[in-house]
Amino acid sequence: MTPGVSLYGGFGGGETVRSRRNWKAHPAVITVGGQSVGSISGADDAVLDGFTITEFGFGMYTRSCSPRVANCLFMSNATGIRSEGGGSPTIVDCTFRSNFGYYGFGAGISNFGCTPTIEGCLFSQSSGSAIYNDGPSITVRRCAFDQNSYGGIMSQVSSSDCAITVENCGFTGNLGGGGIYCTADGPSGAVVKVTNCLFARNSAEFGGGMSCRGVTAILTNCTFTHNTATGYGTTAGQGGGFLQYAADTTATNCIFWGNTAGEGPEVYVESGTLTARYSCIPPGYGDDHTFYLDPLFIDAANGSLRVQTGSPCIDSGTADGAPAMDIGGTQRPQGAGFDIIHLSFISVRRPFRRVVKRV
């Protein structure tokens, strides 16, 4: 790509304005036919919009530049997008499907040293973690992570002040690495902020929904349910919903219910502190308006995580730090107070594309 030049696909040939193109109906495919060499090289202030990129080693490669990538399908690549050396790529409304990461890492996106913003994207059915991050900051909003074989987001932080922001995302059916896995190399001031997110039916050896090792976590209006920490061999799994080690966590307006593990089915704190406020969580993790009662999901066994009338999670949250809308775009509050729920209508049995398009 060339700085300042925009490339658009999705034209059938009869359009007179760009807004009439349809990149799904008229796919523009970039491929190298199964060879593991070559890729699209990004550039500053350049746009790649409306293409299918398939059968590359790296579908797209950016180094020290900040392109915009939108409405693209990355499929059957070793890694969809690899960014390194600085820059702030923007990736919007893209699909990453059936990619495979090197050594299980970064099948969709691998980030080394950059500060990317990723919005409205779907990551599904990849043989590796959907996103691998080792950069000073990364922002992920309105994305769906569904059935990836080594987890949703894996962040191995080498920067002492790394900032990881995850908002309005769904993590469902991811294996191996759970929904989010964050770890720091040595002493760290790294922080991961997770807001309005759902973790359901994910699994990992430890921390089935999410795990943080040496990284401070701030959880707000998140639900962890039906996640599993499998353990390995004769070692019991720990933290079916959430696992913490050598760090501190704050959970506000959160639900930890129905998760499974040999030790600490809902949460497991190996070291550090977990302070819960206005949350559904087992006793011992906070005394500020916390409780451990059935949230009364309508039909959790079949995927419906809306709550029934009479749920203890209705009107029992706090406005302090709560987002103005839930994951589905519904304004808060709806009743006498803020709810301890993240959404009102989504089923965990289908990918979150509906949320991605609606919010």
Side-chain angles (χ1 to χ4, degrees), residues 43-121:
D44 277 328
D45 301 318
V47 174
L48 185 74
D49 188 321
F51 290 87
T52 295
I53 298 94
T54 184
E55 298 183 6
F56 279 93
F58 304 143
M60 183 173 185
Y61 176 77
T62 75
R63 182 172 181 81
S64 304
C65 61
S66 304
R68 177 182 173 86
V69 185
N71 300 312
C72 287
L73 168 62
F74 293 85
M75 182 175 64
S76 300
N77 304 288
T79 297
I81 299 176
R82 180 184 174 98
S83 298
E84 60 182 55
S88 302
T90 301
I91 303 160
V92 181
D93 292 334
C94 292
T95 296
F96 298 82
R97 185 172 66 241
S98 300
N99 299 290
F100 54 96
Y102 290 111
Y103 305 105
F105 298 153
I109 296 173
S110 289
N111 173 48
F112 298 88
C114 302
T115 58
T117 297
I118 304 161
E119 297 196 33
C121 294

Side-chain angles (χ1 to χ4, degrees), residues 327-350:
I327 194 174
T330 300
Q331 193 76 27
R332 287 190 172 108
Q334 285 292 302
F338 278 70
D339 299 331
I340 304 177
I341 54 176
H342 64 287
L343 51 73
S344 57
F345 64 89
I346 298 300
S347 166
V348 302
R349 286 193 179 277
R350 59 175 179 263

Side-chain angles (χ1 to χ4, degrees), residues 22-24 49 68 70-73 92-95 119-122 141-144 168-170 327-329 345-346 351-359:
N22 187 327
W23 68 279
K24 293 183 178 179
D49 188 321
R68 177 182 173 86
N71 300 312
C72 287
L73 168 62
V92 181
D93 292 334
C94 292
T95 296
E119 297 196 33
C121 294
L122 172 63
R141 298 190 181 102
R142 302 182 296 106
C143 291
N168 290 59
C169 292
I327 194 174
F345 64 89
I346 298 300
F352 276 57
R353 200 62 172 181
R354 182 177 173 186
V355 176
V356 168
K357 292 300 184 184
R358 175 170 175 172
V359 174

Side-chain angles (χ1 to χ4, degrees), residues 25 39 46 75 83 86 88 92 117 126-128 187 221 233 245 249 256 320 333 357:
S39 65
M75 182 175 64
S83 298
S88 302
V92 181
T117 297
S126 289
S127 300
N221 282 95
Y245 174 78
T249 295
F256 301 86
D320 184 19
K357 292 300 184 184

Side-chain angles (χ1 to χ4, degrees), residues 255-257 280-281 291-296 312-313:
I255 297 174
F256 301 86
W257 182 267
C280 175
I281 192 170
F291 56 88
Y292 189 49
L293 300 171
D294 189 340
L296 298 179
C313 298

Side-chain angles (χ1 to χ4, degrees), residues 9-23:
F11 295 93
E15 299 86 355
T16 56
V17 293
R18 191 173 69 217
S19 61
R20 298 193 64 182
R21 71 194 174 107
N22 187 327
W23 68 279

Side-chain angles (χ1 to χ4, degrees), residues 194-247:
V194 184
T195 305
N196 266 354
C197 290
L198 168 66
F199 299 80
R201 292 188 169 86
N202 305 288
S203 67
E205 291 180 350
F206 304 98
M210 178 177 173
S211 59
C212 287
R213 297 176 180 271
V215 177
T216 296
I218 301 173
L219 312 176
T220 307
N221 282 95
C222 293
T223 295
F224 297 80
T225 187
H226 289 77
N227 303 288
T228 302
T230 62
Y232 63 93
T234 59
T235 302
Q238 298 170 336
F242 180 83
L243 172 72
Q244 174 192 294
Y245 174 78

